[in-house]
């Protein structure tokens, strides 16, 4: 597929709704039994297709439009052009998730723009989980309803439509904050390692992060062992986190926002003094009603704890 004179391609499959530019170009290349690089050399665009999705170049888009008969506007709709900066910062351009139902019978499954968002875990058309090679922790992190609700909240926040009672960015920062001081793993936390690794000094002495997320989503510690957790240090690195970490964060966001007052009270109870100080610094910026609810829950829990201890005392009865 070479030549100075470039004529329009005779056969061009139609793009699917919301299909990514790279996905569509790869399917066109399959028609002519060439690679994406081969198609690029024939059509004559310069910048790699993956980069065009993020930053479209007019001259390249014109050449693709001329070769495919697709309008410039339709091509731009297949890129991430014009999306809010926050949403773009949470994109995963290299994502290869697919819907097994959408792609049934297809030589190359299509990939949609919405599936590249860090908190996209389902095909909204078929209500099916997206296929992903990363199955780490998938069976244990099974609270799909809560994860779906969290993903919806995070999508709205990324698109600039945050309507939660507490700013979503603050909740994410809270979940990634330390609840307790970093410490070596307990023996049971290393139980899934081969015995030879459990005895290695590097595993026994390494200090692991103890984040708020594990207080809110305790099943995350079961799904992903402490030595394999790869939670980002801050929000800006969420897009490169593995699927299990992103899925757990979606669950955590939904659980905190469902009842912020009781959630924060439980987090503070399970944190050490250093963690509580950092958490209080974060929630001091939250709306006043939420802070009042936290204080009320802590007061009630404290009173309930005193009552439980009083009832647990052994009472000695003297015979009359």
């Amino acid at each position: 597929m070479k030549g100075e004179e470039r004529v329009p391609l005779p056969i061009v499959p139609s793009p699917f709704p919301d299909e990514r530019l790279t996905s569509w170009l790869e399917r066109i290349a399959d028609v002519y039994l060439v690679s994406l690089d081969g198609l690029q050399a024939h059509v004559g665009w310069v910048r790699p297709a993956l980069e065009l999705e993020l930053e479209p170049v007019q001259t390249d888009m014109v050449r693709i439009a001329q070769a495919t008969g697709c309008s410039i506007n339709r091509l731009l709709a297949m890129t991430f052009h014009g999306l809010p900066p926050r949403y773009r910062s949470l994109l995963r351009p290299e994502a290869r998730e697919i819907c097994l139902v959408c792609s049934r019978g297809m030589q190359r499954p299509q990939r949609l723009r919405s599936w590249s968002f860090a908190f996209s875990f389902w095909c909204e058309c078929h209500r099916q989980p997206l296929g992903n090679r990363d199955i780490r922790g998938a069976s244990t992190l099974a609270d799909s309803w809560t994860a779906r609700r969290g993903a919806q909240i995070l999508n709205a926040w990324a698109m600039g439509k945050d309507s939660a009672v507490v700013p979503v960015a603050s909740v994410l920062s809270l979940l990634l904050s330390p609840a307790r001081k970093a410490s070596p793993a307990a023996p049971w936390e290393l139980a899934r390692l081969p015995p030879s690794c459990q005895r290695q000094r590097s595993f026994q002495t390494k200090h692991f992060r103890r984040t708020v997320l594990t207080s809110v989503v305790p099943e995350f510690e079961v799904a992903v062992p402490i030595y394999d957790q790869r939670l980002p240090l801050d929000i800006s690195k969420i897009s490169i986190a593995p699927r299990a970490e992103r899925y757990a964060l979606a669950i955590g966001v939904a659980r905190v926002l469902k009842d912020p007052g009781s959630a924060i009270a439980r987090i503070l109870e399970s944190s050490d003094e250093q963690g509580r100080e950092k958490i209080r610094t974060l929630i001091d910026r939250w709306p006043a009603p939420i802070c009042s609810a936290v204080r009320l829950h802590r007061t009630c829990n404290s009173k309930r704890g005193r009552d439980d201890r009083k009832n647990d005392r052994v009472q000695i009865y003297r015979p009359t």
Side-chain angles (χ1 to χ4, degrees), residues 251-272:
I251 294 175
V253 166
R255 287 181 182 173
V256 170
L257 290 176
K258 183 178 181 181
D259 188 351
S262 62
I264 297 299
R266 287 195 302 271
I267 291 168
L268 290 170
E269 285 175 8
S270 62
S271 303
D272 61 20

Side-chain angles (χ1 to χ4, degrees), residues 9-320:
L9 298 170
I11 302 175
V12 176
S14 300
F16 289 98
D18 196 41
E19 186 172 14
R20 289 178 56 173
L21 181 65
T22 50
S23 171
W24 180 59
L25 292 174
E26 285 172 351
R27 293 196 300 109
I28 295 175
D30 288 344
V31 172
Y32 299 98
L33 304 180
V34 298
S35 65
L36 182 56
D37 290 340
L39 181 68
Q40 179 178 352
H42 174 75
V43 174
W45 78 80
V46 177
R47 181 171 288 192
L50 201 59
E51 294 181 16
L52 286 179
E53 286 186 326
L54 296 170
E55 298 295 339
V57 176
Q58 181 69 17
T59 54
D60 286 344
M61 302 301 276
V62 167
R63 284 183 177 174
I64 295 173
Q66 290 172 345
T68 61
C70 191
S71 70
I72 296 289
N73 287 339
R74 183 67 187 88
L75 290 177
L76 288 174
M78 287 188 268
T79 70
F80 302 111
H81 175 72
L83 290 171
R86 183 184 291 155
Y87 190 96
R88 288 166 61 90
S89 71
L90 289 167
L91 287 173
R92 302 169 52 249
E94 304 285 349
R96 308 296 294 186
E97 284 89 345
I98 62 170
C99 170
L100 298 178
V101 179
C102 287
S103 58
R104 189 173 294 158
M106 295 185 64
Q107 178 185 352
R108 184 187 293 272
Q110 72 271 33
R111 291 176 291 110
L112 306 190
R113 292 191 315 155
S114 56
W115 297 348
S116 300
F117 183 58
F119 295 101
S120 287
F121 307 110
W122 293 271
C123 169
E124 294 303 326
C125 179
H126 297 106
R127 315 293 286 182
Q128 293 291 319
L130 294 175
N132 190 306
R133 292 180 181 178
D134 182 8
I135 59 172
R136 176 171 149 274
S139 59
T140 308
L141 290 169
D143 191 354
S144 58
W145 188 92
T146 305
R148 185 183 292 276
R149 176 60 186 148
Q152 292 170 345
I153 293 169
L154 287 157
N155 186 80
W157 164 70
M159 293 296 290
K161 302 174 183 176
D162 186 1
S163 59
V165 291
V166 177
V168 173
S170 298
V171 178
L172 283 172
S173 296
L174 171 69
L175 293 171
L176 295 174
S177 297
R180 298 183 302 281
K181 188 178 179 181
S183 61
W188 65 266
E189 291 179 308
L190 300 177
R192 280 186 269 179
L193 280 173
S196 59
C197 293
Q198 293 182 35
R199 291 190 291 270
Q200 289 180 12
R201 184 168 176 79
S202 58
F203 280 108
Q204 294 177 349
T205 60
K206 182 178 179 180
H207 284 57
F208 296 97
R209 292 171 64 200
R210 308 291 178 168
T211 62
V212 169
L213 177 66
T214 55
S215 299
V216 180
V217 190
E219 62 266 39
F220 177 62
E221 283 192 306
V222 179
V224 183
I226 188 72
Y227 55 81
D228 194 31
Q229 292 176 11
R230 285 171 269 170
L231 282 168
L233 292 173
D234 54 56
I235 299 175
S236 64
K237 301 294 191 299
I238 286 177
S239 62
I240 62 175
R243 182 186 185 278
E245 278 76 356
R246 290 181 281 112
Y247 196 91
L249 284 169
I251 294 175
V253 166
R255 287 181 182 173
V256 170
L257 290 176
K258 183 178 181 181
D259 188 351
S262 62
I264 297 299
R266 287 195 302 271
I267 291 168
L268 290 170
E269 285 175 8
S270 62
S271 303
D272 61 20
E273 190 53 44
Q274 183 179 350
R276 282 193 286 270
E277 185 177 343
K278 291 186 176 181
I279 292 165
R280 289 193 193 101
T281 302
L282 279 173
I283 66 175
D284 279 347
R285 307 169 197 159
W286 290 16
I290 301 299
C291 296
S292 299
V294 171
R295 286 192 292 272
L296 177 62
H297 277 282
R298 293 189 68 197
T299 302
C300 292
N301 289 344
S302 177
K303 182 178 182 302
R304 186 160 52 244
R306 288 195 301 271
D307 291 343
D308 290 342
R309 285 193 296 272
K310 187 184 299 182
N311 292 334
D312 288 340
R313 290 174 186 160
V314 177
Q315 297 184 9
I316 301 176
Y317 295 93
R318 301 182 181 219
T320 54

